[in-house]
Each structure stands twice: as structure tokens, then as C-alpha cells.
Amino acid sequence: MTETTFPQTMGQQFGRRSWAEPWKIKMVEPIKMTTRAEREQAIAKAGYNTFLLRSSDVYIDLLTDSGTSAMSDRQWAGIMLGDEAYAGSDNFYRLEKAIQDHYGYKYIVPTHQGRGAEHLISQAVIKQGDYIPGNMYFTTTRLHQELAGGTFVDVIVDAAHDPTDLSPFKGNIDLNKLEALIEKVGAENIPYVSLAGTVNMAGGQPVSMANVRELRALCDKHNIRLYLDATRMAENCFFIQEREKGYADKPVAEILREFCGYTDGAWMSSKKDHLVNIGGWLAVNDEDVFDKARNMVVVYEGLHTYGGMSGRDMEALAIGIGESVQDDHLRARIGQVYYLGELLTDWKIPIVQPVGGHAIFLDAKKFYPHISQDKFPAQTLASELYLESGIRAMERGVVSAGRDPETGDHRYPALELVRLTIPRRVYTQAHMDVTAEAVRAVYENRENTNGLKMVYEPDYLRFFQARFEQL
Ligand code: F0G
């Protein structure tokens, strides 16, 4: 183990014995390798934006872990039990029960995916001029808060902005920052605190149980609600089990119930933790908020017993929720991310440390110190990795951060990252080896790389559709 590797690697947990996934493969999907000339054409056609590539031009697809999981045989069997009634589908009631059992919230509103739920909660509780503090922004979450008239305020701990800081819970909220905001704007202008598990934009960094407990007390003192982005909360609970005193012998399922018990509700992109290709929900304990959201869902998503999902989607999701909290599943899932992280760490390639739950984040500022942030170092790195290997990754830097709505300038985040996101139960250890070697090749060629110029910029969530040219 190298010094920079986070305390408990998978190897250590198992006494340096090898470990393997708790499943075997029943069906495969062929993928093809392209030539360098084909990739040069494909990425130029895509405006050097990996979101605009065709997936048939991609070899190993690490764009996202969203909706890209492999479902189990049980989930596929569940697909056959779809009750496609317009109203009152049996599958909805099974989904509702799975959420209540595992997350503990009272009232459930299904949505087609996470941003559908973000839209409902934002419109239901934010009023014009409100402030919403949270542990680092997420693109769609912040946009829905802004569209509802709110201003997002980042109150994450400082360590989250430093890719070399080895603190175990870099997703925590800094309670002093939060108190200062409450003092400045008044509790009555803060509809809720927006707390995310394994903070995506910080590198998949977890929140501790101690932090959410103290946060609850602070919210109670000021009568502010606490809502959770539960998208990767099962993974967050694995880190609590691994790192926080008193949790080593508790099953993740139990840790999850305890954590959610400190919050008033959650929105969920089931396309991540829940091992399905589509789905999401909003869950709250407050009847008033539920009433509003359930009324709005029929306007924007679909009836309140399907919310944009088919019956079969809801069945696969209900089963996936149960699978997502199993300890052996999470150990293998995060173990695979650790495996890739350890290879890159051993080769001294700059990545966000400690390695997070769903992805390895390459530190593009360290790859390309000669490329200034207005020439999009992370966007450049993602396109170089594709050119080198056909591996698709995602920019998480200045392009994702967008523009300040007041000044119209780029927002320059401290972190300028490329995310190698690992889909759940999809790729093998050999795919991770190939990925690590491709990253190393790009790193070795770093001095010969120039930045990009943005030539097309959409108004919302520009990273999805912006186009670039090489400098
Ligand atoms: N919250 C978090 C933390 C997310 O990572 C996402 C999606 C959402 C909310 C929105 O959910 O996509 O189902 O509408 N993240 C994807 C990603 C897109 O690649 O990280 P959605």
C-alpha cells in the first residue's frame, strides 16, 4: 500500500487476499475497439464533447454510472410482472413499500428520474429570494433551485475543495459556514438544507453520521427542514461502515435507516444506487409538502402512482432497492473503484484522494498546469482520453459549473476534474487495467496537449451540449 492510498483498501480488509464480485455473468453485450483515425473523426464531429459522441464509437463507457447498471436476473424477471394499469398499479405499491422499508420516509411520489423529483421539491418549498445551503452544488439540483427563485450557497467543508486532503468525510457540511449564513439571511429565508450523500462534484466524498446528527440539531434549533439527495446514499453508508467509529459491525441497510431518520425527506435518482436504467422518486414525512408534490406530479410527470415510469420499471426498481443495500454488493462495487484508484495512485497520476464511491476523478489542473481554466483543461483531458483509447469520461470543471446568473461570467470552480465513472456490475477488472493504462498514456503525453475553445454554448446545463474546437 502506498502512503497516498486511503486507509482501508479492499486488499487490507480481506488480509490482502483477492476478492471477487458476488455474481456471475449470464448475458454479454459486445463492444468494439475503434482506430485512432476513426476516433479523431468521431470526437471532432462531437465538438470535443464526450456527451455528443455516439455510444457505438465508444469502447469502455465511463461517462456516467447513471442508468448504466446491469440488472440482475431477479430484476429482469420482475420486468415480466409489470402491471401497466394507468392508475393504482401493483408495482407502485411494492415500490412504495420498498422505499418506506429501506429509507423510512412516510409519503412517496414517483418521478421519471432524479431531476423530476428535484423540480417538484424545489417548486413545492422554495420561494423567490430564498437561500438553499448545501454540500457543494450538483448541476441539475442547483438549476431547479435557481429556477424556483432560490440561490444555492455552498457550505461544504473546505477539505472538499482540496484533491489531496485525505480526510475521510470530505462531503460533510461545515456547520460554522451554515450558522453564518443563517445569521446573515435569516432562517425564515432558508426553506431547507440540501444535503447530498457521496458528494458527486467533490469526487464522490461521503458525509458522516456525526455530521448529519449535528446538522439535524442545528436545523431543529432554527426550524429549518433537512432534505437529502439520496442518489448515492447506499454508497455513502458503506463508507460510514468502513470509516466511522461504531459502525463497522452494522449492516449498510441499518446505517441507511439511521441516516435518513435525521432528515425530513429525500429526492432520488434511482438510476444510480438502485441498479435500474430509469426511475426516481421524492419522499417526505411532511403531509403538506407531500400534498403539493403529489398534485404537481400529475402536471409534469404522470399520475401519482407511476410518475413517468412504466409498471415494469417500478417493479425492477423495487427489487433493485433491496439489492442496492446488500453489503457484499457494495463491497464489490466500491472495491472495483478502489482497484482502479490504487493502480493510478501507484503510478503517481494525480487523482482526487481519497477515492470516492462511484468514480475516479482525474485532477486536470495537475495534468495540464500550462492550460488556463478558460481553455477548459478537464474538457481537453476527456477528449484526449477518448482519442487515446476510445474510453469515454466526463468533464466536471468549468464547463459543468456554468455561468454566474448575476454577472454572466464563467464560474471557476476550485476543482477541475475528469470523472471516470464506473457503471455497477458492468465491467471487469481487465477493463479497469485497460483504463488505467490509457490514462497513464495520456498523462505521459501531457506536455504536448493544448486546450479548447468553446464555439457553441447552450443556455442551460451547457456541459451536455456545448461544442469546442482544438486550439
Ligand atoms: N443528484 C445527483 C447527486 C446526481 O448525480 C444526479 C445525476 C441527479 C441528482 C439527477 O438525477 O440524472 O436521474 O435526473 N447525475 C448523473 C451523473 C447525470 O452522471 O452524475 P437524474
Coordinates of all heavy atoms in Angstrom, one line a residue, residues 51 63-67 112-118 137-141 144 196-201 229-232 267-272 278-280 358 394 396 419 421 463-464, ligand 1:
F51 N -20.3 14.0 -24.4 CA -21.8 13.8 -24.4 C -22.3 13.7 -25.8 O -23.4 13.1 -26.0 CB -22.5 14.9 -23.7 CG -22.5 14.8 -22.2 CD1 -21.6 15.6 -21.4 CD2 -23.3 13.9 -21.5 CE1 -21.6 15.5 -20.1 CE2 -23.3 13.9 -20.1 CZ -22.4 14.7 -19.4
L63 N -18.7 7.4 -19.0 CA -19.3 8.7 -18.9 C -20.1 8.9 -17.6 O -20.0 9.9 -17.0 CB -20.3 8.8 -20.1 CG -21.0 10.2 -20.2 CD1 -20.0 11.3 -20.7 CD2 -22.1 10.2 -21.2
T64 N -20.8 7.9 -17.3 CA -21.7 8.0 -16.0 C -22.0 6.6 -15.5 O -22.0 5.6 -16.2 CB -22.9 8.8 -16.3 OG1 -23.7 8.9 -15.2 CG2 -23.7 8.2 -17.5
D65 N -22.4 6.6 -14.2 CA -23.0 5.4 -13.6 C -24.5 5.6 -13.5 O -25.1 4.9 -12.8 CB -22.4 5.3 -12.2 CG -22.8 6.5 -11.3 OD1 -23.0 7.6 -11.8 OD2 -22.9 6.3 -10.0
S66 N -25.0 6.5 -14.3 CA -26.4 6.8 -14.2 C -27.2 6.1 -15.3 O -27.1 6.3 -16.5 CB -26.6 8.3 -14.4 OG -28.0 8.7 -14.3
G67 N -28.0 5.1 -14.8 CA -28.9 4.3 -15.8 C -28.1 3.3 -16.6 O -28.6 2.7 -17.5
H112 N -39.9 10.3 -13.1 CA -39.2 9.5 -14.1 C -37.8 9.4 -13.8 O -37.1 8.4 -14.2 CB -39.5 10.1 -15.5 CG -38.7 11.4 -15.8 ND1 -38.9 12.6 -15.2 CD2 -37.6 11.5 -16.6 CE1 -38.1 13.5 -15.7 NE2 -37.2 12.8 -16.5
Q113 N -37.1 10.4 -13.2 CA -35.7 10.3 -12.7 C -35.5 11.4 -11.7 O -36.4 12.1 -11.3 CB -34.8 10.3 -13.9 CG -34.7 11.6 -14.7 CD -33.8 11.5 -15.9 OE1 -34.0 10.8 -16.9 NE2 -32.6 12.1 -15.8
G114 N -34.2 11.5 -11.3 CA -33.9 12.4 -10.2 C -34.3 13.9 -10.4 O -34.9 14.5 -9.5
R115 N -34.1 14.4 -11.6 CA -34.4 15.8 -11.8 C -35.9 16.1 -11.7 O -36.3 17.2 -11.5 CB -33.7 16.4 -13.0 CG -34.1 15.9 -14.3 CD -33.1 16.1 -15.4 NE -32.0 15.2 -15.2 CZ -30.9 15.1 -16.1 NH1 -30.9 15.9 -17.1 NH2 -30.0 14.3 -15.9
G116 N -36.7 15.1 -12.1 CA -38.1 15.3 -11.9 C -38.5 15.5 -10.5 O -39.3 16.4 -10.1
A117 N -37.9 14.8 -9.6 CA -38.1 14.9 -8.1 C -37.5 16.3 -7.6 O -38.1 17.0 -6.8 CB -37.5 13.8 -7.4
E118 N -36.3 16.7 -8.2 CA -35.7 18.0 -7.8 C -36.7 19.1 -8.2 O -36.8 20.1 -7.4 CB -34.4 18.1 -8.5 CG -33.3 17.2 -8.0 CD -32.0 17.2 -8.8 OE1 -32.1 17.7 -10.0 OE2 -31.0 16.8 -8.3
Y137 N -22.6 22.1 -5.0 CA -23.7 22.1 -5.9 C -23.7 20.8 -6.7 O -22.6 20.2 -6.9 CB -23.6 23.3 -6.8 CG -22.7 23.1 -8.0 CD1 -23.2 22.7 -9.3 CD2 -21.3 23.2 -8.0 CE1 -22.4 22.5 -10.4 CE2 -20.5 23.0 -9.0 CZ -21.0 22.6 -10.3 OH -20.2 22.4 -11.3
F138 N -24.8 20.4 -7.1 CA -24.9 19.4 -8.3 C -25.6 20.2 -9.4 O -26.6 20.9 -9.1 CB -25.5 18.1 -7.9 CG -25.5 17.2 -9.1 CD1 -24.3 16.6 -9.6 CD2 -26.6 17.0 -9.9 CE1 -24.2 15.9 -10.7 CE2 -26.6 16.2 -11.1 CZ -25.4 15.7 -11.5
T139 N -25.2 19.9 -10.6 CA -25.7 20.7 -11.8 C -27.3 20.8 -11.8 O -27.8 21.9 -11.8 CB -25.2 20.0 -13.1 OG1 -25.6 18.6 -13.1 CG2 -23.7 20.2 -13.2
T140 N -28.0 19.7 -11.9 CA -29.4 19.7 -12.1 C -30.1 20.2 -10.8 O -31.1 20.9 -10.8 CB -30.0 18.4 -12.5 OG1 -29.7 17.4 -11.5 CG2 -29.5 17.9 -13.8
T141 N -29.6 19.8 -9.6 CA -30.2 20.2 -8.3 C -30.1 21.7 -8.2 O -31.2 22.4 -7.9 CB -29.4 19.6 -7.2 OG1 -29.0 18.2 -7.5 CG2 -30.1 19.7 -5.9
H144 N -32.6 23.6 -10.6 CA -34.0 23.6 -10.2 C -34.2 24.5 -9.0 O -35.3 25.2 -8.9 CB -34.5 22.2 -9.9 CG -34.8 21.4 -11.1 ND1 -35.9 21.8 -11.9 CD2 -34.3 20.3 -11.7 CE1 -35.9 21.0 -13.0 NE2 -35.0 20.1 -12.9
A196 N -26.3 16.2 0.3 CA -26.2 15.0 -0.7 C -25.3 14.0 -0.1 O -24.2 14.3 0.5 CB -25.6 15.5 -2.0
G197 N -25.6 12.7 -0.3 CA -24.7 11.6 0.1 C -23.6 11.6 -1.0 O -23.7 12.1 -2.1
T198 N -22.4 11.0 -0.6 CA -21.3 10.9 -1.5 C -21.2 12.0 -2.6 O -21.6 11.8 -3.7 CB -21.1 9.5 -2.2 OG1 -22.3 9.2 -2.9 CG2 -20.8 8.4 -1.3
V199 N -20.8 13.1 -2.2 CA -20.9 14.4 -3.0 C -20.2 14.2 -4.4 O -19.0 14.1 -4.5 CB -20.3 15.6 -2.2 CG1 -20.4 16.8 -3.1 CG2 -21.0 15.7 -0.9
N200 N -21.1 14.2 -5.4 CA -20.7 13.9 -6.7 C -19.5 14.8 -7.2 O -18.5 14.3 -7.6 CB -21.9 14.0 -7.6 CG -21.7 13.4 -9.0 OD1 -20.6 13.0 -9.4 ND2 -22.8 13.3 -9.7
M201 N -19.8 16.1 -7.1 CA -18.8 17.1 -7.7 C -17.5 17.2 -6.9 O -16.5 17.8 -7.3 CB -19.4 18.5 -7.9 CG -20.7 18.5 -8.7 SD -20.6 17.9 -10.4 CE -20.0 19.3 -11.2
D229 N -30.3 14.5 -0.8 CA -30.2 13.9 -2.2 C -29.7 12.5 -1.9 O -28.5 12.3 -1.7 CB -29.2 14.8 -3.0 CG -29.1 14.2 -4.4 OD1 -29.4 13.0 -4.6 OD2 -28.7 15.0 -5.3
A230 N -30.6 11.5 -2.0 CA -30.2 10.1 -1.6 C -29.7 9.3 -2.8 O -29.5 8.1 -2.7 CB -31.5 9.4 -1.1
T231 N -29.3 10.0 -3.9 CA -28.9 9.3 -5.1 C -27.9 8.2 -4.9 O -28.0 7.1 -5.5 CB -28.4 10.4 -6.1 OG1 -29.5 11.3 -6.4 CG2 -27.9 9.8 -7.4
R232 N -26.8 8.5 -4.2 CA -25.8 7.5 -3.9 C -25.6 7.3 -2.4 O -24.5 7.2 -1.9 CB -24.5 7.9 -4.6 CG -24.6 8.0 -6.1 CD -23.2 8.3 -6.8 NE -23.3 8.5 -8.2 CZ -23.7 9.6 -8.8 NH1 -24.0 10.7 -8.1 NH2 -23.8 9.7 -10.1
W267 N -34.9 13.3 -2.2 CA -35.1 13.0 -3.7 C -34.1 12.0 -4.1 O -33.0 11.9 -3.6 CB -35.2 14.3 -4.5 CG -33.9 15.0 -4.6 CD1 -32.9 14.9 -5.5 CD2 -33.4 16.1 -3.7 NE1 -31.8 15.7 -5.2 CE2 -32.2 16.5 -4.1 CE3 -34.0 16.7 -2.6 CZ2 -31.4 17.5 -3.5 CZ3 -33.3 17.7 -2.0 CH2 -32.0 18.1 -2.4
M268 N -34.5 11.3 -5.2 CA -33.6 10.2 -5.5 C -33.6 10.0 -7.0 O -34.6 10.0 -7.7 CB -34.3 8.9 -5.0 CG -33.6 7.6 -5.3 SD -32.2 7.5 -4.1 CE -31.2 6.2 -5.0
S269 N -32.3 9.9 -7.6 CA -32.2 9.4 -8.9 C -31.9 7.9 -8.8 O -30.8 7.5 -8.5 CB -31.0 10.1 -9.6 OG -30.7 9.4 -10.8
S270 N -32.9 7.1 -9.0 CA -32.7 5.6 -8.9 C -31.8 5.0 -9.9 O -31.4 3.9 -9.8 CB -34.1 4.9 -8.9 OG -34.8 5.3 -7.8
K271 N -31.4 5.8 -10.9 CA -30.5 5.4 -12.0 C -29.1 5.1 -11.5 O -28.3 4.5 -12.2 CB -30.5 6.5 -13.1 CG -31.8 6.8 -13.7 CD -31.8 7.9 -14.6 CE -31.1 7.6 -15.9 NZ -31.2 8.7 -16.9
K272 N -28.8 5.5 -10.2 CA -27.5 5.2 -9.6 C -27.6 4.0 -8.7 O -27.7 2.9 -9.2 CB -27.0 6.4 -8.9 CG -26.5 7.5 -9.9 CD -27.5 8.3 -10.5 CE -27.0 9.5 -11.2 NZ -28.1 10.3 -11.9
I278 N -33.8 3.5 -15.4 CA -34.6 4.7 -15.4 C -35.4 4.7 -14.1 O -35.7 3.6 -13.6 CB -35.5 4.9 -16.6 CG1 -36.1 6.3 -16.7 CG2 -36.7 3.8 -16.6 CD1 -35.2 7.3 -17.2
G279 N -35.7 5.8 -13.5 CA -36.6 5.9 -12.3 C -36.1 6.9 -11.3 O -34.9 7.3 -11.3
G280 N -37.0 7.3 -10.4 CA -36.7 8.2 -9.3 C -37.9 8.4 -8.5 O -39.0 7.9 -8.8
H358 N -18.2 6.3 -6.6 CA -18.7 5.9 -7.9 C -17.8 6.1 -9.0 O -18.1 5.8 -10.2 CB -20.1 6.6 -8.2 CG -19.9 8.1 -8.3 ND1 -19.4 8.9 -7.3 CD2 -20.3 9.0 -9.3 CE1 -19.4 10.2 -7.6 NE2 -19.9 10.2 -8.8
M394 N -16.2 12.1 -18.4 CA -17.0 13.3 -18.3 C -16.2 14.4 -17.7 O -15.6 14.3 -16.7 CB -18.2 13.0 -17.5 CG -19.2 14.2 -17.5 SD -20.5 14.0 -16.2 CE -21.5 12.7 -16.9
R396 N -15.9 17.6 -15.4 CA -16.5 18.1 -14.2 C -15.7 19.3 -13.7 O -15.0 19.2 -12.7 CB -16.7 17.1 -13.1 CG -17.6 15.9 -13.4 CD -19.1 16.2 -13.1 NE -19.8 16.9 -14.1 CZ -21.1 16.8 -14.3 NH1 -21.9 15.9 -13.6 NH2 -21.8 17.5 -15.2
R419 N -14.1 12.8 -14.8 CA -14.7 11.7 -14.0 C -14.7 10.4 -14.8 O -15.3 10.4 -15.9 CB -16.1 12.1 -13.6 CG -16.8 11.1 -12.6 CD -18.2 11.5 -12.2 NE -19.1 11.3 -13.3 CZ -20.4 11.4 -13.2 NH1 -21.0 11.8 -12.1 NH2 -21.2 11.2 -14.3
T421 N -16.4 7.3 -14.5 CA -17.5 6.8 -13.7 C -17.7 5.3 -13.9 O -17.8 4.9 -15.1 CB -18.7 7.6 -14.0 OG1 -18.4 8.8 -14.6 CG2 -19.6 7.8 -12.8
F463 N -22.8 21.9 -20.3 CA -21.8 20.8 -20.5 C -22.4 19.7 -21.3 O -21.7 19.0 -22.0 CB -21.4 20.2 -19.1 CG -22.5 19.8 -18.2 CD1 -22.9 18.4 -18.2 CD2 -23.2 20.7 -17.4 CE1 -23.9 18.0 -17.4 CE2 -24.2 20.3 -16.6 CZ -24.6 18.9 -16.6
F464 N -23.8 19.5 -21.3 CA -24.3 18.4 -22.1 C -24.2 18.7 -23.6 O -24.1 17.7 -24.4 CB -25.9 18.3 -21.8 CG -26.2 17.6 -20.5 CD1 -27.1 18.2 -19.6 CD2 -25.6 16.4 -20.1 CE1 -27.4 17.6 -18.4 CE2 -25.9 15.8 -18.9 CZ -26.8 16.4 -18.1
Ligands
F0G1 N1 -28.3 14.3 -7.8 C1 -27.1 13.7 -8.0 C2 -26.1 13.7 -6.9 C3 -26.8 13.2 -9.3 O1 -25.6 12.7 -9.5 C4 -27.8 13.3 -10.3 C5 -27.5 12.8 -11.7 C6 -29.0 13.9 -10.1 C7 -29.3 14.3 -8.8 C8 -30.1 14.0 -11.1 O2 -30.6 12.8 -11.4 O3 -30.0 12.3 -13.8 O4 -31.8 11.0 -12.6 O5 -32.2 13.3 -13.3 N2 -26.3 12.6 -12.0 C9 -25.9 12.0 -13.3 C10 -24.4 11.8 -13.3 C11 -26.4 12.7 -14.5 O6 -23.9 11.4 -14.4 O7 -23.7 12.0 -12.3 P1 -31.2 12.3 -12.9

